[in-house]
């Protein structure tokens, strides 16, 4: 776990960092919106659920949460969800039908605690509206982000992510990363997390990216990148550039074993 910080005056990042062999370290962010009806976006990694809940508790009493927005069902986005449903009895979980369905093997979410949201829907959270948007790139068909229509923040789930060198990964703004390093890492991540991007139609992809540009977001909040504010156009362009990139080689068994060895009792004891 990293230290929580404010990406915007009422929007906090709860970061986790995870090494990716051969690529760098990837942030895994959840977000807390201090709206009139507080919203938690995703719920961390299960293996660190105690640490995640402690970090969340430093920002807000979980019982005050009214909404939990699942950008999709991957385990790095749903880790503390079962415990949060107990700790936040008034919270409703927002997500697509595909997200809830694909999460079902881990146990059905109580239907009275969920609400299906689709692209184009608007969720009123008291002092603002959240406009549901599917980002240009995604690794799950259930993926759904949103535009915070009060702050202009664009929550993009896995899109725009980047595995970064260790001296950059914990920065509070991706604007602090040099342009070449960031662009290269974002293109790499795009071909890893959304490998279909190299097979898509470039013009159609550019149209989707242009839809995001037209929102004129004040910040890009990716699950796997420090917040972007000044260089939003560069991040949008990196998504389009990924369409013609060489696919990144997959993780090998040897790399996996090297990574797992770091977490054995002998390695940490």
């Amino acid at each position: 776990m990293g230290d929580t910080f404010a990406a915007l005056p009422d929007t906090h990042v709860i970061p986790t960092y995870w090494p990716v062999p051969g690529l760098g370290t990837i942030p895994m962010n959840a977000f807390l919106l201090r709206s009139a009806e507080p919203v938690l976006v995703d719920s961390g990694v299960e293996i660190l659920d105690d640490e995640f809940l402690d970090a969340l508790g430093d920002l807000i009493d979980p019982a005050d949460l009214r909404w939990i927005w699942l950008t999709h069902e991957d385990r790095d986005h749903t880790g503390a969800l079962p415990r949060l449903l107990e700790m936040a009895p008034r919270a409703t979980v927002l997500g697509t039908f595909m997200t809830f369905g694909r999460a079902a093997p881990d146990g059905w979410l109580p239907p009275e605690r969920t609400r299906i949201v689709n692209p184009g829907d608007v969720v009123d959270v008291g002092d603002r509206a959240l406009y549901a948007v599917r980002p240009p790139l995604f690794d799950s068909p259930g993926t759904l982000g949103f535009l915070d229509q009060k702050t202009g923040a664009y929550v993009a789930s896995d899109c725009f992510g980047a595995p970064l060198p260790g001296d950059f990964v914990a920065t509070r703004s991706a604007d602090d990363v040099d342009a070449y390093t960031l662009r290269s890492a974002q293109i790499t991540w795009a071909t890893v997390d959304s490998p279909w991007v190299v097979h898509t139609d470039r013009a159609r992809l550019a149209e989707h990216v242009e839809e995001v540009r037209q929102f004129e977001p004040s910040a890009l909040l990716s699950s796997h990148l420090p917040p972007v504010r000044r260089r939003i156009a560069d991040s949008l362009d990196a998504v389009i550039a990924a369409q013609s990139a060489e696919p990144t080689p997959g993780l090998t068994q040897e790399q996996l074993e090297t990574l797992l060895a770091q977490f054995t009792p002998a390695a940490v004891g």
Side-chain angles (χ1 to χ4, degrees):
M1 290 292 304
D3 294 330
T4 62
F5 63 93
L8 296 166
D10 62 359
T11 304
H12 283 75
V13 183
I14 307 174
T16 308
Y17 306 107
W18 202 258
V20 182
L23 296 180
T25 300
I26 193 80
M28 296 190 293
N29 302 320
F31 303 99
L32 174 68
L33 276 62
R34 292 182 176 276
S35 40
E37 299 175 5
V39 181
L40 177 67
V41 181
D42 293 334
S43 61
V45 185
E46 185 176 10
I47 194 173
L48 296 174
D49 60 352
D50 286 335
E51 293 87 344
F52 178 86
L53 291 170
D54 286 345
L56 176 64
D58 288 340
L59 297 172
I60 190 173
D61 182 343
D64 292 334
L65 290 174
R66 293 294 303 277
W67 306 98
I68 301 171
W69 187 298
L70 288 188
T71 65
H72 60 299
E73 75 289 344
D74 286 351
R75 296 291 185 95
D76 56 324
H77 298 258
T78 62
L81 184 59
R83 293 175 65 182
L84 276 169
L85 289 176
E86 298 178 0
M87 299 170 68
R90 297 192 300 158
T92 296
V93 184
L94 303 169
T96 64
F97 176 79
M98 288 295 291
T99 287
F100 295 144
R102 287 164 64 90
D106 292 328
W108 287 101
L109 294 172
E112 68 275 10
R113 300 292 303 275
T114 63
R115 173 175 159 185
I116 289 177
V117 182
N118 289 306
D121 288 349
V122 176
V123 179
D124 183 348
V125 295
D127 62 343
R128 72 196 67 188
L130 306 182
Y131 177 71
V133 181
R134 175 165 288 134
L137 299 181
F138 47 86
D139 66 359
S140 164
T143 298
L144 194 66
F146 61 83
L147 179 72
D148 181 332
Q149 295 187 317
K150 178 180 180 180
T151 67
Y154 181 88
V155 175
S157 190
D158 286 4
C159 192
F160 308 112
L164 296 171
D167 52 346
F168 285 126
V169 71
T171 182
R172 297 189 173 190
S173 173
D175 298 326
D176 297 332
V177 183
D178 73 86
Y180 176 80
T181 297
L182 181 59
R183 179 182 174 88
S184 298
Q186 286 184 307
I187 292 173
T188 293
W189 176 252
T191 68
V192 169
D193 194 59
S194 305
W196 52 266
V197 69
V198 301
H199 304 294
T200 196
D201 180 83
R202 189 180 183 89
R204 293 289 298 275
L205 178 63
E207 288 175 5
H208 201 164
V209 171
E210 186 60 27
E211 291 174 3
V212 179
R213 204 185 306 270
Q214 291 300 313
F215 290 142
E216 298 183 349
S218 62
L220 293 181
L221 301 182
S222 170
S223 301
H224 299 304
L225 184 74
V228 183
R229 299 183 188 87
R230 298 192 310 273
R231 288 158 47 190
I232 291 172
D234 293 344
S235 291
L236 295 173
D237 291 342
V239 169
I240 299 173
Q243 187 273 338
S244 57
E246 289 293 324
T248 301
L251 180 74
T252 67
Q253 181 66 27
E254 181 180 6
Q255 289 173 319
L256 176 62
E257 291 174 359
T258 299
L259 173 62
L260 294 177
Q262 301 176 38
F263 301 99
T264 63
V268 299

